[in-house]
C-alpha cells in the first residue's frame, strides 16, 4: 500500500511565496515521477509542473524538485498571483512489487489573496 501526502499550502498575499511538499510512503521500489497538478473551483485539474516542464502560466515563478533519499517532491512557488489559488495535488508514479502505478495525494489548498 502506498500513501502520498501533500503539505505546505495556506493563505498568502499576492507576490508571496510558498513551498509545497509531497511525501510518498509504503511499498516503494522506486519513484518514477512526482508531478504537481492544481484544480481551481469550477475548473478542470491541470498539470502545473513535471520534471523540468512547466505550465506557461507558472514558468519563471515555480520550481519543481525532488529528494529521492526522502521519497519527497517539492514545488517552490514565488511571485504568487490570485489566479494561482487552487487545490494543489501531487501525483507520484511509483514502482513496487505490484508494478508501476500512479498515486494521488489528498491535495493542499493554496489561497492567494490580500
Amino acid at each position: 500500500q502506498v500513501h502520498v501526502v501533500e503539505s505546505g499550502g495556506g493563505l498568502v498575499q499576492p507576490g508571496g511565496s510558498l513551498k509545497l511538499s509531497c511525501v510518498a510512503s509504503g511499498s516503494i521500489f522506486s519513484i518514477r515521477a512526482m508531478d504537481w497538478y492544481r484544480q481551481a473551483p469550477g475548473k478542470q485539474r491541470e498539470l502545473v509542473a513535471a520534471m523540468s516542464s512547466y505550465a506557461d502560466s507558472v514558468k519563471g515563478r515555480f520550481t519543481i524538485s525532488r529528494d529521492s533519499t526522502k521519497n519527497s517532491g517539492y514545488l517552490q512557488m514565488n511571485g504568487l498571483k490570485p489566479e494561482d489559488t487552487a487545490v494543489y495535488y501531487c501525483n507520484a508514479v511509483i514502482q513496487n512489487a505490484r508494478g508501476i502505478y500512479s498515486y494521488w495525494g489528498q491535495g493542499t489548498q493554496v489561497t492567494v489573496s490580500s
Side-chain angles (χ1 to χ4, degrees):
Q1 193 172 6
V2 173
H3 296 282
V4 175
V5 179
E6 305 96 334
S7 62
L11 173 63
V12 63
Q13 292 187 341
S17 298
L18 283 174
K19 186 175 184 178
L20 306 183
S21 299
C22 173
V23 179
S25 61
S27 178
I28 299 172
F29 287 177
S30 66
I31 299 178
R32 300 297 186 92
M34 271 187 160
D35 303 329
W36 289 92
Y37 291 73
R38 69 185 179 188
Q39 187 166 19
K43 295 187 177 181
Q44 289 188 329
R45 191 171 298 188
E46 63 172 349
L47 178 64
V48 175
M51 296 294 285
S52 59
S53 176
Y54 298 89
D56 288 343
S57 59
V58 307
K59 281 181 181 177
R61 300 188 296 123
F62 290 12
T63 304
I64 188 172
S65 62
R66 282 180 57 190
D67 185 342
S68 59
T69 65
K70 298 180 179 179
N71 287 342
S72 296
Y74 308 95
L75 184 67
Q76 176 67 48
M77 306 185 295
N78 299 327
L80 283 162
K81 304 176 181 180
E83 51 263 43
D84 294 319
T85 295
V87 178
Y88 284 70
Y89 298 90
C90 175
N91 179 261
V93 179
I94 291 172
Q95 181 178 10
N96 56 27
R98 296 175 58 231
I100 299 174
Y101 294 91
S102 174
Y103 298 88
W104 290 93
Q106 81 291 346
T108 184
Q109 176 70 47
V110 172
T111 302
V112 185
S113 175
S114 55

